[in-house]
Amino acid sequence: MTQPATPTRPAEPQRAAAPKNVRAVRLDVRTLSLLGVLAALAVIGGITQPDSFLDTDNVQLILTQASVIGVVTVGMTFVMISGGIDLSVGAIVALASCWATTVATQEYGFLGILFTAIVVGVACGLVNGVLIAYGSLVPFIATLAMLASGRGLALQITDGKTQVVTVDSVLELGERDSYILGIPPLVLVFAAVTVIGWLALNRTTFGRRSVAVGGNAEAARLAGIDVRRQRLYLYLLSGLCCGIAAFLLIVLAGSGQNTNGNLYELDAIAAAIIGGTLLTGGRGTIVGSVLGVLIFTTITNIFALNNLQSDVQQIAKGAIIVAAVLVQRRTANTHS
């Protein structure tokens, strides 16, 4: 009676392994495609402006400019993987940077500015998370409301004026003397956030739960995952990333303005999408999102070096987004 059951056992691991292999192939092709686009942009920049683009200072500039939006994109990637969206990231960055650069805050020095920026970001993420997870508001509506409120509060705090940073220890982080082995501190922070984000997504229960919630929230709930609490954590994470990005922007600009973070939400969403993150949730990679940020930042740099108009730059970005999505769909169809 036990003999008929034995032949079926070896077949089970084979069926389970196939989807993993397919996902690995898709990931590799997608990553290689993005690296190919980035390499092509580097060639274009080297041909059009060989003296300027390939200069060490310019490479450092590209990486530094990518750091701020890159940190925001890491948080956005987690939110999108869970099936959500956050339209308020730019406004949160603006609010955090303005609040952290008031005269009262600057009296507490470096730690006061850093602490305020992070607390404001996390607080905004908490409001978003509570409204969405426990208030049952649609993410689009809740974060849109935060976008309007955050921008309005930032304008009220600054009265429309630029708040100049006078704390030397903050300003020194943006100077060349603070570079470590030729790498700006802002880039090191971005790298650290990227590594932590990758580990959290791929090596922890938190990451697996985020993917599960985005893939099928009801199935995740039946599997024992507290979907509402997980969504709250994800928006807290997004707010934390915005707070860190706000501090980096303060270092980079040396000031706080209510216009900071303008269109960051669109850049972060676009970078995550071309990096392979689905708007519907359930799939995404930190590496892909970071490559998307680097692609957009490199495009901006090339256009600036060649004195090309910003409208052409936006058209190029749109074309790259469409091309990236088409490549992803073709890849998915090929391996489906």
Side-chain angles (χ1 to χ4, degrees), residues 20-327:
K20 293 182 181 179
N21 294 335
V22 171
R23 287 196 296 269
V25 171
R26 290 178 183 175
L27 177 61
D28 291 341
V29 172
R30 188 182 305 117
T31 302
L32 289 175
S33 299
L34 293 173
L35 288 173
V37 172
L38 190 58
L41 289 173
V43 171
I44 294 173
I47 293 175
T48 57
Q49 294 290 334
D51 296 331
S52 303
F53 182 80
L54 299 178
D55 186 73
T56 302
D57 291 341
N58 188 60
V59 174
Q60 292 173 337
L61 176 62
I62 292 174
L63 294 176
T64 300
Q65 292 177 337
S67 298
V68 180
I69 185 61
V71 172
V72 174
T73 303
V74 170
M76 179 70 79
T77 301
F78 274 92
V79 170
M80 291 176 62
I81 286 175
S82 71
I85 198 75
D86 192 347
L87 300 179
S88 64
V89 291
I92 295 175
V93 170
L95 178 59
S97 67
C98 291
W99 209 321
T101 54
T102 61
V103 175
T105 302
Q106 291 194 49
E107 291 179 354
Y108 293 94
F110 181 96
L111 293 179
I113 294 176
L114 175 60
F115 177 79
T116 302
I118 291 178
V119 168
V120 171
V122 172
C124 291
L126 176 63
V127 173
N128 281 336
V130 170
L131 290 176
I132 293 167
Y134 296 96
S136 299
L137 282 184
V138 177
F140 180 89
I141 299 300
T143 57
L144 185 62
M146 178 60 72
L147 183 157
S149 302
R151 287 290 178 190
L153 187 54
L155 179 59
Q156 186 178 47
I157 290 174
T158 61
D159 195 25
K161 301 176 182 178
T162 300
Q163 298 180 159
V164 179
V165 176
T166 58
V167 180
D168 292 336
S169 57
V170 173
L171 298 175
E172 288 171 358
L173 287 177
E175 297 178 357
R176 184 169 296 277
D177 292 339
S178 65
Y179 288 12
I180 301 175
L181 299 178
I183 304 175
L186 274 67
V187 177
L188 294 176
V189 173
F190 175 35
V193 171
T194 299
V195 171
I196 294 173
W198 186 89
L199 291 173
L201 180 61
N202 298 283
R203 295 291 184 268
T204 67
T205 303
F206 177 82
R208 290 191 292 271
R209 288 176 177 175
S210 300
V211 174
V213 170
N216 190 322
E218 181 60 21
R221 186 187 66 81
L222 294 175
I225 298 175
D226 190 331
V227 175
R228 293 189 299 179
R229 184 172 60 186
Q230 185 68 20
R231 284 174 174 161
L232 173 62
Y233 289 162
L234 288 165
Y235 281 96
L236 282 172
L237 175 61
S238 179
L240 173 62
C241 289
C242 288
I244 296 173
F247 179 77
L248 298 183
L249 189 57
I250 291 171
V251 173
L252 185 62
S255 63
Q257 305 177 54
N258 66 288
T259 56
N260 282 344
N262 188 34
L263 297 181
Y264 272 19
E265 56 277 356
L266 299 183
D267 287 343
I269 292 171
I273 289 175
I274 72 170
T277 302
L278 296 179
L279 275 171
T280 53
R283 192 185 75 191
T285 67
I286 298 298
V287 173
S289 296
V290 169
L291 289 175
V293 171
L294 292 175
I295 287 172
F296 281 150
T297 308
T298 304
I299 291 174
T300 302
N301 182 264
I302 291 175
F303 275 70
L305 291 177
N306 288 277
N307 296 318
L308 296 177
Q309 297 179 354
S310 59
D311 55 348
V312 181
Q313 174 185 324
Q314 298 302 323
I315 294 173
K317 284 185 177 181
I320 289 177
I321 293 173
V322 173
V325 172
L326 290 176
V327 169

